[in-house]
Amino acid sequence: MASHPTPPAPPRRRARRWRRRLTAVALVAAVAYLARAPLLRTGGAVLVSDDGLAPATRVAVLDGDRRFEVAAALVTAGRADGVLIVQGAPARTVLVGLRPSPEDVGRAELSRRGVPHARVEVIPGRARSVWDWARQFGGWLAGHPDATVLVLADRFGSRRDRLVLRRVLASDQFARVRVAALPHREYAEADWWRVKGGGLAFGYGTLDLGYAWLAGEGDPPAEPRSPDELEGVTRD
Amino acid sequence: MTDPAAPSRRRRRRRWVVAVIVLTLAYLARGWILPEWGGWLDVSEPPRPADYAYALGGGAESRPFVAAGLYKRGLVSGVLLPEVQPGPDAADGLAPGETELVRRLLRARGVPEDRVQILPGAVTSTFDEAHSLGRFLDAHPDATVAVVTDDYHTRRARRVFRRVLGPRAAQVHFVATPVDGVTAADWWKSARGFRTYLAETFKAGYYEVRY
């Protein structure tokens, strides 16, 4: 049977339909505005995956506000035997000798807070992403089958970090790892939208988690240009 | 008997079909759309002679190197720096303050100390940096400036500087610093590029509304 073309709705019915749609949009917007605090709090909470300061034989410093302070406090309180620092690829300002490497800064910070040098272990490598970090860390875990590790992470990066650790580490290694989502001094899940730093951390955390979830690691980070290459980059 | 709901069902079905076709086309054309999107953010110009290079904050690992390159090639006779407000790590002594680090970096890369000026007034945004330059131009009304920033940041920076400087924005042009391993042609393929370009798109939208 041939289908007949749909007759256009009379103008009054079309107007009613649009009025209904606009009213629904306005209602949703009003409810979202009135419930903005719980909605934004929930958004923040999605990014956080926190085991708290669970007991472990080692503390691994990945990221997070006051990370060395927390690591030192755990060791000096006898809640961990030592600290792990995963070595990263040196930044250009480190290469040209303008500042110490993050590993040296970490050692100095821990020492200043009462952690003996012997209790700090640097896992060598050139990590340029959290995926590299997890692989270097996995190598260490493979050589220390009895160790349990508490990873100190940035609060709004913690769910992404846990996802990466789960994907990179063998299951028996991942079972020995806990993640502490360190609180930030300027914002938390409950109020991140009130300060610029919180908004940026939420935005970046959401994009990082989304990418890791959907695309995994993606293309590995490229080898950075040397200082001389970068100086001459505008030449052409 | 005809079903009175049939026309509206047909209309809904047609809309779904159109939506699916649009999404499919967008997916198939992603190799063209995404680089265009990335390229849209970059409005930089080839460097040309100016009195000063102004290396914006937030990129100590790249922007000052390009500014030093401009100085060493004789394209600028001095470098301006904003006074960047220290973040938590700098406040805790875990990292040097950015302005001081960049000042030392410029000296190490061959820019004499007396050729570097720090513009007074702590900055936390591109908007603040534009105001700092505006105050400098009040005292140096004929100065020309090459603003050095990341390639993807040039569109937003240009908009803000135009807004703040008004007609004096004609004295300013924008020189791009490349981002290691990320270009407009492949930004969605790496986690860093994805974060950088999407966040910049949101920020550009926010600045469009806010400023």
Side-chain angles (χ1 to χ4, degrees):
Chain A
M1 206 170 98
S3 66
H4 300 288
T6 312
R12 204 176 295 166
R13 252 177 62 198
R14 268 210 305 273
R16 258 208 312 274
R17 202 180 301 135
W18 273 107
R19 249 201 316 275
R20 268 206 308 271
R21 282 176 191 158
L22 288 175
T23 309
V25 168
L27 270 176
V28 169
V31 170
Y33 179 76
L34 291 172
R36 64 191 182 283
L39 285 174
L40 294 169
R41 264 200 301 273
T42 305
V46 167
L47 301 178
V48 179
S49 178
D50 188 14
D51 295 322
L53 298 177
T57 57
R58 298 283 204 288
V59 187
V61 183
L62 168 58
D63 202 354
D65 195 19
R66 298 189 168 122
R67 52 200 176 278
F68 292 112
E69 197 177 315
V70 174
L74 289 169
V75 173
T76 52
R79 295 174 63 189
D81 299 337
V83 181
L84 299 174
I85 298 175
V86 174
Q87 190 176 22
R92 266 185 287 266
T93 49
V94 175
L95 283 175
V96 297
L98 284 171
R99 61 179 174 128
S101 69
E103 297 78 43
D104 289 344
V105 171
R107 276 185 181 280
E109 274 300 305
L110 291 165
S111 168
R112 195 165 67 86
R113 295 172 192 281
V115 179
H117 271 284
R119 298 262 196 113
V120 181
E121 189 174 346
V122 175
I123 304 172
R126 290 174 55 84
R128 287 202 301 264
S129 69
V130 67
W131 296 84
D132 289 344
W133 191 99
R135 279 188 283 269
Q136 277 173 234
F137 176 53
W140 185 90
L141 282 171
H144 298 77
D146 298 326
T148 56
V149 182
L150 177 67
V151 175
L152 303 184
D154 173 68
R155 195 151 189 87
F156 281 175
S158 54
R159 188 171 297 280
R160 189 274 312 261
D161 295 339
R162 185 191 296 277
L163 186 149
V164 171
L165 289 166
R166 192 169 50 229
R167 289 197 187 168
V168 169
L169 301 179
S171 55
D172 66 304
Q173 293 175 345
F174 183 67
R176 292 187 275 132
V177 173
R178 296 287 176 271
V179 176
L182 298 182
H184 197 281
R185 73 190 77 179
E186 289 173 358
Y187 53 83
E189 297 92 293
D191 61 1
W192 59 264
W193 60 93
R194 295 186 201 281
V195 292
K196 183 183 171 187
L200 288 174
F202 175 79
Y204 287 133
T206 305
L207 292 172
D208 290 343
L209 177 62
Y211 193 87
W213 226 335
L214 296 170
E217 185 172 6
D219 286 358
E223 194 62 39
R225 291 173 178 83
S226 72
D228 289 339
E229 281 173 323
L230 193 54
E231 266 190 17
V233 85
T234 56
R235 221 153 266 183
D236 36 18
Chain B
M1 208 169 110
T2 54
D3 179 1
S8 86
R9 260 207 308 271
R10 268 202 296 274
R11 226 179 359 250
R12 267 203 296 273
R13 205 179 308 137
R14 257 206 315 270
R15 280 180 196 150
W16 277 109
V17 170
V18 169
V20 168
I21 288 172
V22 167
L23 287 175
T24 308
L25 285 177
Y27 179 76
L28 292 174
R30 68 193 185 285
W32 177 79
I33 293 171
L34 297 174
E36 284 294 315
W37 176 350
W40 179 80
L41 293 172
D42 182 0
V43 295
S44 64
E45 300 164 53
R48 57 175 191 262
D51 296 321
Y52 300 95
Y54 184 27
L56 299 190
E61 295 294 336
S62 57
R63 298 170 189 176
F65 288 92
V66 172
L70 296 178
Y71 176 81
K72 284 153 85 172
R73 290 164 59 197
L75 286 169
V76 298
S77 54
V79 179
L80 307 174
L81 299 177
E83 193 183 312
V84 179
Q85 188 161 296
D89 273 3
D92 288 351
L94 296 179
E98 186 180 321
T99 306
E100 176 55 20
L101 176 68
V102 172
R103 201 178 57 79
R104 283 194 281 141
L105 170 60
L106 289 169
R107 198 170 52 200
R109 300 305 294 178
V111 183
E113 192 137 20
D114 63 352
R115 295 292 177 174
V116 178
Q117 285 189 58
I118 297 169
L119 304 185
V123 303
T124 60
S125 67
T126 309
F127 191 69
D128 294 344
E129 290 174 314
H131 274 292
S132 283
L133 184 65
R135 287 191 294 273
F136 177 81
L137 290 178
D138 289 342
H140 303 80
D142 298 324
T144 53
V145 180
V147 176
V148 179
T149 190
D150 295 323
D151 46 14
Y152 62 83
H153 179 231
T154 49
R155 175 171 288 276
R156 181 161 57 98
R158 188 180 70 175
R159 176 177 173 78
V160 170
F161 276 71
R162 279 182 176 172
R163 172 109 174 116
V164 170
L165 301 179
R168 293 179 299 171
Q171 295 164 239
V172 172
H173 73 283
F174 291 82
V175 175
T177 300
V179 180
D180 288 319
V182 180
T183 69
D186 61 6
W187 60 268
W188 63 96
K189 293 180 182 170
S190 66
R192 185 180 182 192
F194 181 81
R195 153 205 258 247
T196 302
Y197 275 73
L198 274 191
E200 184 60 28
T201 303
F202 288 127
K203 286 182 192 174
Y206 173 76
Y207 269 61
E208 201 75 28
V209 174
R210 176 81 170 74
Y211 302 115

